[in-house]
Amino acid sequence: MGNFVKEFKEFALKGNVMDMAVGIIIGGAFGKIVSSFVNDVLMPPLSLLIGKNFVDSKIVLKEATTTVVEGVETVVPAVTLNWGAFIQTALDFLIIALAIFLMIKGMNSLRKKKEEVPAEPAADPADIALLKEIRDELRKR
């Protein structure tokens, strides 16, 4: 059991796991920011354009019904296709996907800049250079 705890501790405290945890927390906060942007900034003008609250846009497939059985009223809710809410969620996804794409593209360009250009081979020592010259002269003959 002690070995298991030791292995788990090593796993949990590795840099990659900690980086992943930070990324998940920041990603959750970023998702809330994007949702707020879509809900509070993009959707109100769109709702104004179509004349009603866009998120509430839906197609009623079956109307709500009310039944009374033994003096107890029961309401069966309507069956609806909520296309406005779907479009809003799709916009959330597209904005998050675009932001992630741009972030990864930026990181990749930084990595390319950081990659070192292979250094030119060091000049041969004087004695090797002289031997190469002699070899080249002998080949000419």
Side-chain angles (χ1 to χ4, degrees), residues 69-89:
V69 177
E70 298 178 7
V72 177
E73 188 175 291
T74 305
V75 177
V76 177
V79 177
T80 59
L81 186 71
N82 302 321
W83 62 271
F86 173 76
I87 300 259
Q88 179 176 355
T89 303

Side-chain angles (χ1 to χ4, degrees), residues 124 128-141:
D124 291 331
I128 303 245
L130 182 61
L131 288 171
K132 284 184 178 180
E133 285 179 33
I134 294 170
R135 178 197 64 198
D136 293 341
E137 284 296 320
L138 289 173
R139 281 188 183 163
K140 289 180 185 176
R141 293 182 184 187

Side-chain angles (χ1 to χ4, degrees), residues 9 11 23 35 41 52 58 63 78 89 105 114 125-126 135:
K9 185 178 177 182
F11 167 77
S35 292
V41 177
K52 65 178 181 174
K58 57 188 163 195
E63 294 290 336
T89 303
K105 185 175 172 113
K114 283 186 176 181
R135 178 197 64 198

